[in-house]
Amino acid sequence: MNPFALGLALAFLLSSAAAATTFVRGQRPDEALADRAELVVVGTVLTRGGAPGLMGPDYPLRVEGVLLGSAGKDLGVRVSGGGDGPRRRKIWGAPQFGVGERVLLFLASGPDGTWRVSQLFLGAFHQVKVGGRTVAVRGFSEADALTLSPRGEV
């Protein structure tokens, strides 16, 4: 990559990082997501909470269907970023869920026994109604996708 293009790419990344998470979408992102997930579930968010001192919220989930792996009827999902009280941190692109919201989640086990959304927002799909149909969509409001040329340049 020539120095001008490298400088331009670096300026773009730095300006985007102030207000969003920047990511490069791969050739087959959903296949890679499924390959890396330990558990894929459809469920409804029961509440939003968290233990004191945690730097992110916990979402208890009522499992309605398991597409990959094994799960009981309820499980806990912890999302990095956010948190309540004086110890808060912002992670741009960290998924947020509403109580009663129906979601499709690609999950990986955390060291504390909770489940974590795989690949931050890429592993979280929200159910929405579009033109009388129900679809699952990702929330990209705090994320910017970079597109690479066939030679791998920004």
Side-chain angles (χ1 to χ4, degrees):
M1 182 181 284
N2 72 41
F4 175 75
L6 181 61
L8 185 62
L10 184 58
F12 174 78
L13 288 173
L14 292 176
S15 67
S16 296
T21 294
T22 303
F23 70 100
V24 177
R25 187 183 305 255
Q27 292 270 36
R28 300 177 338 196
D30 293 334
E31 289 177 27
L33 183 63
D35 289 344
R36 292 184 181 132
E38 296 172 53
L39 179 64
V40 180
V41 298
V42 174
T44 300
V45 176
L46 298 174
T47 63
R48 180 186 189 276
L54 287 178
M55 304 270 298
D58 284 345
Y59 295 97
L61 190 77
R62 170 71 32 88
V63 176
E64 298 170 20
V66 178
L67 305 174
L68 175 71
S70 178
K73 68 176 189 168
D74 295 317
L75 60 87
V77 177
R78 179 161 295 153
V79 176
S80 296
D84 295 319
R87 295 182 62 196
R88 292 181 52 91
R89 68 177 167 177
K90 176 67 176 172
I91 297 180
W92 298 99
Q96 298 178 29
F97 308 109
V99 174
E101 180 179 7
R102 194 156 185 252
V103 294
L104 166 64
L105 300 176
F106 290 72
L107 302 168
S109 58
D112 55 3
T114 60
W115 290 95
R116 309 293 174 109
V117 177
S118 185
Q119 298 185 31
L120 198 58
F121 59 88
L122 294 177
F125 293 80
H126 306 266
Q127 177 181 300
V128 297
K129 297 274 187 183
V130 177
R133 296 178 53 203
T134 301
V135 296
V137 298
R138 288 186 179 107
F140 286 116
S141 64
E142 294 181 345
D144 291 326
L146 292 180
T147 302
L148 299 180
S149 72
R151 294 185 296 164
E153 298 172 339
V154 177

